[in-house]
Amino acid sequence: MKIVMLGAPGAGKGTQAKKIAEEYGVPHISTGDIFRANIKNNTPLGQQAKIYMDKGELVPDELVVSLIMDRFDEPDCEKGYVLDGYPRTIPQAKALDKALEDNGEKLDYAIDVDVPDEVIIDRMSGRRACLNCGATYHIVNNPPKTESVCDACGNELVQRDDDKEETVKNRLDVYHDQTEPLKQYYADAGVLYTVDGTKEMEEVFKSICSIVE
Ligand code: AP5
Ligand code: MG
Ligand code: ZN
């Protein structure tokens, strides 16, 4: 099962991708999480990515594509995967198609989690993230059991550097400009499905399950 999650920053791609991964036993691959882990460990990749991420800009395609191609070589990807935050540009989508084609495979579903910009701003300001395992929470909509502590791994929860309001606005602009055209790209390929991302998390998840089943 190979799934791409589409949607604006803060639409709930990560939240839903984690659930899909658990339910269907495929790895959840978030390019954003991989970059944040590299920033935390101060690797050369992290140092490069940080320059773009802090401004809400996209990391250059060549960096992202080589990272994701390496990830596909890991043995857990044999069962498929749910991609969260990749692809984000048409060239990235084409690179994915090419990699799939070379293996005689194809993408099964591109699921667009649809949420209007106004709702996004509120979600981002309340979000708290675990930089260890990638889990996300919301101080009102989805709080952790203990304040500032990750339910899944016990790590401290933090506000992401790029969740400041000005940066969020730029991320939304970048999304509409560079990523939203992927909806048409995947509609043309016949694999686009849209879910209403403003519903409760469990409801959104049910809609996704009914598509995937
Ligand atoms: P990335 O980490 O992918 O961030 P993003 O796309 O901006 O999306 P987010 O992770 O912010 O949101 P999400 O959709 O996962 O929502 P979440 O589930 O957390 O990328 C960060 C940066 O890395 C980019 O800006 C770029 O610089 C770089 N990058 C990454 N990939 C790249 C690529 N391929 N190419 C180039 N650059 C790349 O939910 C948000 C909040 O809402 C949470 O608090 C959650 O609890 C809450 N919530 C979720 N669902 C609901 C619901 N149904 N109801 C109420 N609240 C909800
Ligand atoms: Mg995310
Ligand atoms: Zn955690």
mmCIF file of all heavy atoms in Angstrom, residues 17-41:
data_model
loop_
_atom_site.group_PDB
_atom_site.id
_atom_site.type_symbol
_atom_site.label_atom_id
_atom_site.label_comp_id
_atom_site.label_asym_id
_atom_site.label_seq_id
_atom_site.Cartn_x
_atom_site.Cartn_y
_atom_site.Cartn_z
ATOM 1 N N ALA A 17 -1.464 10.345 9.102
ATOM 2 C CA ALA A 17 -0.468 9.407 8.570
ATOM 3 C C ALA A 17 -0.017 8.433 9.653
ATOM 4 O O ALA A 17 0.181 7.243 9.399
ATOM 5 C CB ALA A 17 0.736 10.166 8.010
ATOM 6 N N LYS A 18 0.115 8.924 10.871
ATOM 7 C CA LYS A 18 0.517 8.059 11.993
ATOM 8 C C LYS A 18 -0.532 6.971 12.220
ATOM 9 O O LYS A 18 -0.205 5.808 12.468
ATOM 10 C CB LYS A 18 0.682 8.884 13.270
ATOM 11 C CG LYS A 18 2.113 9.327 13.492
ATOM 12 C CD LYS A 18 2.364 9.584 14.976
ATOM 13 C CE LYS A 18 3.840 9.744 15.303
ATOM 14 N NZ LYS A 18 4.748 8.750 14.777
ATOM 15 N N LYS A 19 -1.804 7.368 12.163
ATOM 16 C CA LYS A 19 -2.885 6.401 12.378
ATOM 17 C C LYS A 19 -2.923 5.364 11.251
ATOM 18 O O LYS A 19 -3.102 4.171 11.501
ATOM 19 C CB LYS A 19 -4.244 7.126 12.420
ATOM 20 C CG LYS A 19 -4.480 7.933 13.690
ATOM 21 C CD LYS A 19 -5.780 8.731 13.491
ATOM 22 C CE LYS A 19 -6.237 9.429 14.744
ATOM 23 N NZ LYS A 19 -6.780 8.481 15.726
ATOM 24 N N ILE A 20 -2.757 5.833 10.031
ATOM 25 C CA ILE A 20 -2.774 4.909 8.889
ATOM 26 C C ILE A 20 -1.636 3.904 9.033
ATOM 27 O O ILE A 20 -1.808 2.704 8.827
ATOM 28 C CB ILE A 20 -2.613 5.682 7.552
ATOM 29 C CG1 ILE A 20 -3.790 6.640 7.337
ATOM 30 C CG2 ILE A 20 -2.486 4.724 6.380
ATOM 31 C CD1 ILE A 20 -3.576 7.633 6.198
ATOM 32 N N ALA A 21 -0.466 4.413 9.399
ATOM 33 C CA ALA A 21 0.712 3.557 9.532
ATOM 34 C C ALA A 21 0.467 2.464 10.577
ATOM 35 O O ALA A 21 0.811 1.298 10.363
ATOM 36 C CB ALA A 21 1.924 4.404 9.903
ATOM 37 N N GLU A 22 -0.140 2.850 11.692
ATOM 38 C CA GLU A 22 -0.430 1.866 12.747
ATOM 39 C C GLU A 22 -1.449 0.844 12.277
ATOM 40 O O GLU A 22 -1.287 -0.350 12.461
ATOM 41 C CB GLU A 22 -0.997 2.585 13.974
ATOM 42 C CG GLU A 22 0.046 2.922 15.011
ATOM 43 C CD GLU A 22 -0.490 3.909 16.046
ATOM 44 O OE1 GLU A 22 -1.646 3.727 16.491
ATOM 45 O OE2 GLU A 22 0.247 4.863 16.366
ATOM 46 N N GLU A 23 -2.526 1.356 11.673
ATOM 47 C CA GLU A 23 -3.638 0.491 11.263
ATOM 48 C C GLU A 23 -3.205 -0.511 10.196
ATOM 49 O O GLU A 23 -3.593 -1.674 10.236
ATOM 50 C CB GLU A 23 -4.773 1.380 10.740
ATOM 51 C CG GLU A 23 -6.002 0.639 10.262
ATOM 52 C CD GLU A 23 -6.955 0.253 11.389
ATOM 53 O OE1 GLU A 23 -6.833 0.822 12.490
ATOM 54 O OE2 GLU A 23 -7.818 -0.613 11.137
ATOM 55 N N TYR A 24 -2.402 -0.064 9.242
ATOM 56 C CA TYR A 24 -2.107 -0.919 8.091
ATOM 57 C C TYR A 24 -0.683 -1.476 8.107
ATOM 58 O O TYR A 24 -0.287 -2.164 7.155
ATOM 59 C CB TYR A 24 -2.401 -0.177 6.789
ATOM 60 C CG TYR A 24 -3.869 0.190 6.657
ATOM 61 C CD1 TYR A 24 -4.321 1.467 7.000
ATOM 62 C CD2 TYR A 24 -4.810 -0.752 6.244
ATOM 63 C CE1 TYR A 24 -5.666 1.802 6.908
ATOM 64 C CE2 TYR A 24 -6.157 -0.430 6.162
ATOM 65 C CZ TYR A 24 -6.582 0.849 6.490
ATOM 66 O OH TYR A 24 -7.911 1.166 6.406
ATOM 67 N N GLY A 25 0.067 -1.173 9.151
ATOM 68 C CA GLY A 25 1.400 -1.767 9.281
ATOM 69 C C GLY A 25 2.390 -1.349 8.209
ATOM 70 O O GLY A 25 3.192 -2.157 7.746
ATOM 71 N N VAL A 26 2.322 -0.090 7.791
ATOM 72 C CA VAL A 26 3.316 0.435 6.848
ATOM 73 C C VAL A 26 4.054 1.589 7.519
ATOM 74 O O VAL A 26 3.507 2.224 8.427
ATOM 75 C CB VAL A 26 2.671 0.919 5.524
ATOM 76 C CG1 VAL A 26 2.125 -0.240 4.717
ATOM 77 C CG2 VAL A 26 1.582 1.961 5.783
ATOM 78 N N PRO A 27 5.302 1.867 7.107
ATOM 79 C CA PRO A 27 6.020 2.975 7.747
ATOM 80 C C PRO A 27 5.429 4.344 7.399
ATOM 81 O O PRO A 27 4.927 4.540 6.297
ATOM 82 C CB PRO A 27 7.447 2.851 7.218
ATOM 83 C CG PRO A 27 7.359 2.013 6.001
ATOM 84 C CD PRO A 27 6.153 1.139 6.143
ATOM 85 N N HIS A 28 5.476 5.243 8.376
ATOM 86 C CA HIS A 28 5.077 6.633 8.178
ATOM 87 C C HIS A 28 6.338 7.411 7.878
ATOM 88 O O HIS A 28 7.230 7.498 8.714
ATOM 89 C CB HIS A 28 4.403 7.137 9.474
ATOM 90 C CG HIS A 28 4.258 8.634 9.549
ATOM 91 N ND1 HIS A 28 4.249 9.303 10.757
ATOM 92 C CD2 HIS A 28 4.139 9.588 8.600
ATOM 93 C CE1 HIS A 28 4.100 10.607 10.535
ATOM 94 N NE2 HIS A 28 4.033 10.799 9.238
ATOM 95 N N ILE A 29 6.434 7.971 6.686
ATOM 96 C CA ILE A 29 7.637 8.704 6.306
ATOM 97 C C ILE A 29 7.303 10.180 6.156
ATOM 98 O O ILE A 29 6.584 10.584 5.247
ATOM 99 C CB ILE A 29 8.219 8.158 4.984
ATOM 100 C CG1 ILE A 29 8.509 6.663 5.143
ATOM 101 C CG2 ILE A 29 9.479 8.933 4.597
ATOM 102 C CD1 ILE A 29 9.018 6.003 3.878
ATOM 103 N N SER A 30 7.807 10.984 7.081
ATOM 104 C CA SER A 30 7.590 12.421 7.041
ATOM 105 C C SER A 30 8.924 13.098 6.772
ATOM 106 O O SER A 30 9.849 13.018 7.585
ATOM 107 C CB SER A 30 7.016 12.890 8.383
ATOM 108 O OG SER A 30 7.268 14.276 8.568
ATOM 109 N N THR A 31 9.027 13.780 5.636
ATOM 110 C CA THR A 31 10.279 14.476 5.327
ATOM 111 C C THR A 31 10.528 15.579 6.357
ATOM 112 O O THR A 31 11.664 15.805 6.762
ATOM 113 C CB THR A 31 10.265 15.046 3.892
ATOM 114 O OG1 THR A 31 8.967 15.590 3.613
ATOM 115 C CG2 THR A 31 10.569 13.976 2.882
ATOM 116 N N GLY A 32 9.457 16.238 6.805
ATOM 117 C CA GLY A 32 9.616 17.270 7.836
ATOM 118 C C GLY A 32 10.220 16.682 9.114
ATOM 119 O O GLY A 32 11.135 17.260 9.707
ATOM 120 N N ASP A 33 9.718 15.510 9.553
ATOM 121 C CA ASP A 33 10.261 14.866 10.758
ATOM 122 C C ASP A 33 11.735 14.495 10.563
ATOM 123 O O ASP A 33 12.550 14.647 11.472
ATOM 124 C CB ASP A 33 9.481 13.587 11.097
ATOM 125 C CG ASP A 33 8.109 13.882 11.707
ATOM 126 O OD1 ASP A 33 7.828 15.062 12.000
ATOM 127 O OD2 ASP A 33 7.318 12.928 11.890
ATOM 128 N N ILE A 34 12.057 14.017 9.374
ATOM 129 C CA ILE A 34 13.453 13.628 9.113
ATOM 130 C C ILE A 34 14.354 14.868 9.183
ATOM 131 O O ILE A 34 15.413 14.845 9.813
ATOM 132 C CB ILE A 34 13.590 12.921 7.737
ATOM 133 C CG1 ILE A 34 12.778 11.610 7.751
ATOM 134 C CG2 ILE A 34 15.059 12.657 7.401
ATOM 135 C CD1 ILE A 34 12.675 10.910 6.395
ATOM 136 N N PHE A 35 13.894 15.967 8.588
ATOM 137 C CA PHE A 35 14.685 17.200 8.668
ATOM 138 C C PHE A 35 14.816 17.682 10.107
ATOM 139 O O PHE A 35 15.905 18.061 10.549
ATOM 140 C CB PHE A 35 14.064 18.319 7.815
ATOM 141 C CG PHE A 35 14.238 18.123 6.333
ATOM 142 C CD1 PHE A 35 13.181 18.316 5.455
ATOM 143 C CD2 PHE A 35 15.472 17.757 5.812
ATOM 144 C CE1 PHE A 35 13.343 18.134 4.089
ATOM 145 C CE2 PHE A 35 15.642 17.571 4.451
ATOM 146 C CZ PHE A 35 14.568 17.760 3.582
ATOM 147 N N ARG A 36 13.709 17.648 10.864
ATOM 148 C CA ARG A 36 13.784 18.127 12.258
ATOM 149 C C ARG A 36 14.724 17.266 13.100
ATOM 150 O O ARG A 36 15.455 17.779 13.944
ATOM 151 C CB ARG A 36 12.381 18.191 12.885
ATOM 152 C CG ARG A 36 11.613 19.456 12.464
ATOM 153 C CD ARG A 36 10.275 19.573 13.162
ATOM 154 N NE ARG A 36 9.328 18.585 12.678
ATOM 155 C CZ ARG A 36 8.602 18.711 11.562
ATOM 156 N NH1 ARG A 36 8.708 19.787 10.812
ATOM 157 N NH2 ARG A 36 7.772 17.764 11.197
ATOM 158 N N ALA A 37 14.730 15.954 12.848
ATOM 159 C CA ALA A 37 15.655 15.077 13.579
ATOM 160 C C ALA A 37 17.100 15.450 13.230
ATOM 161 O O ALA A 37 17.982 15.472 14.091
ATOM 162 C CB ALA A 37 15.376 13.614 13.234
ATOM 163 N N ASN A 38 17.339 15.767 11.953
ATOM 164 C CA ASN A 38 18.690 16.167 11.532
ATOM 165 C C ASN A 38 19.096 17.517 12.114
ATOM 166 O O ASN A 38 20.268 17.727 12.439
ATOM 167 C CB ASN A 38 18.773 16.216 10.002
ATOM 168 C CG ASN A 38 19.068 14.848 9.420
ATOM 169 O OD1 ASN A 38 20.217 14.432 9.328
ATOM 170 N ND2 ASN A 38 18.014 14.126 9.076
ATOM 171 N N ILE A 39 18.128 18.419 12.250
ATOM 172 C CA ILE A 39 18.431 19.721 12.847
ATOM 173 C C ILE A 39 18.796 19.520 14.320
ATOM 174 O O ILE A 39 19.773 20.080 14.823
ATOM 175 C CB ILE A 39 17.224 20.672 12.704
ATOM 176 C CG1 ILE A 39 17.048 21.069 11.233
ATOM 177 C CG2 ILE A 39 17.404 21.929 13.579
ATOM 178 C CD1 ILE A 39 15.787 21.857 10.936
ATOM 179 N N LYS A 40 18.024 18.676 14.979
ATOM 180 C CA LYS A 40 18.255 18.411 16.401
ATOM 181 C C LYS A 40 19.662 17.839 16.619
ATOM 182 O O LYS A 40 20.362 18.186 17.570
ATOM 183 C CB LYS A 40 17.204 17.417 16.888
ATOM 184 C CG LYS A 40 17.027 17.400 18.387
ATOM 185 C CD LYS A 40 15.913 16.444 18.781
ATOM 186 C CE LYS A 40 16.038 16.065 20.238
ATOM 187 N NZ LYS A 40 15.485 14.721 20.477
ATOM 188 N N ASN A 41 20.088 16.958 15.710
ATOM 189 C CA ASN A 41 21.405 16.332 15.843
ATOM 190 C C ASN A 41 22.501 17.129 15.150
ATOM 191 O O ASN A 41 23.639 16.673 15.044
ATOM 192 C CB ASN A 41 21.363 14.906 15.283
ATOM 193 C CG ASN A 41 20.423 14.028 16.081
ATOM 194 O OD1 ASN A 41 20.298 14.180 17.297
ATOM 195 N ND2 ASN A 41 19.724 13.119 15.406
#
